[in-house]
DNA sequence: AGCCATTTGTTCGTATGTATA
DNA sequence: TTATACATACGAACAAATGGC
């Protein structure tokens, strides 16, 4: 069973939704919701959980990939990057 | 022999293709192109017949499953749901 | 048993158009 | 005008299960 989201996207907030989601996901990674080398929920699942568009989810993921927190394997999923790699 | 499609998808129409297809398929069901508990064409066949992407076909089917007009059996096919069930 | 074609399920990649702030 | 977001669509690849041979 996947842990439940602990925060929601606020479309009225100054921070755009994609940055909000990036922050939320990073917090969940650090909290250990998903272990290193394990997949986070699929883009479609995140769309459903946070009620935002897939393009927005992808953008948030791109931020975390840039930061080295996640890596994507095409047709497989998005995974938590092990530390120091 | 399968009945031939009677309508085509119009990508320029205001109604999106997946809704157009849902309407077309529903009309064909009601007309009796396929009997209750019988399979409609496979996703791949509908892709070929209507010239649209599989994801679009699946979305149209999802609409009709939601409406209770069809039911899906994984690895077997998509079937016309008998009335009053 | 093994092989193979069929079929639905899932996932990311990419593109377009529209709307809004 | 630009940035952001949403909706929709097509593409590609693979998984898993079924059924025939």
């Amino acid at each position: 069973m996947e842990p439940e989201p602990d925060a929601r996207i606020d479309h009225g907030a100054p921070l755009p939704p994609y940055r909000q989601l990036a922050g939320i996901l990073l917090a969940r990674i650090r909290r250990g919701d998903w272990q290193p080398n394990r997949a986070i929920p699929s883009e479609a699942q995140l769309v459903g959980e946070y009620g935002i568009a897939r393009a927005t989810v992808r953008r948030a993921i791109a931020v975390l990939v840039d930061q080295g927190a996640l890596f994507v394997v095409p047709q497989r999923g998005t995974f938590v990057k092990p530390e120091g790699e």
Side-chain angles (χ1 to χ4, degrees), chain A:
Chain A
M1 189 82 108
E2 283 294 335
E4 285 298 310
D6 61 328
R8 305 216 173 167
I9 302 299
D10 177 4
H11 287 257
L15 204 62
Y18 82 94
R19 287 183 189 272
Q20 292 180 45
L21 180 57
I24 290 168
L25 294 181
L26 188 58
R28 294 185 68 182
I29 291 167
R30 295 201 167 134
R31 187 204 301 145
D33 276 10
W34 311 294
Q35 296 305 310
N37 285 313
R38 296 276 299 174
I40 70 170
S42 71
E43 294 175 356
Q45 283 176 317
L46 292 174
V47 166
E49 287 179 13
Y50 291 97
I52 55 182
R54 190 182 159 209
T56 307
V57 168
R58 285 177 58 78
R59 193 155 182 195
I61 288 171
V63 167
L64 298 182
V65 168
D66 258 26
Q67 293 183 6
L70 295 174
F71 65 98
V72 181
V73 181
Q75 274 68 58
R76 297 296 301 152
T78 302
F79 301 80
V80 176
K81 198 163 183 180
E83 295 215 29
E85 185 185 352

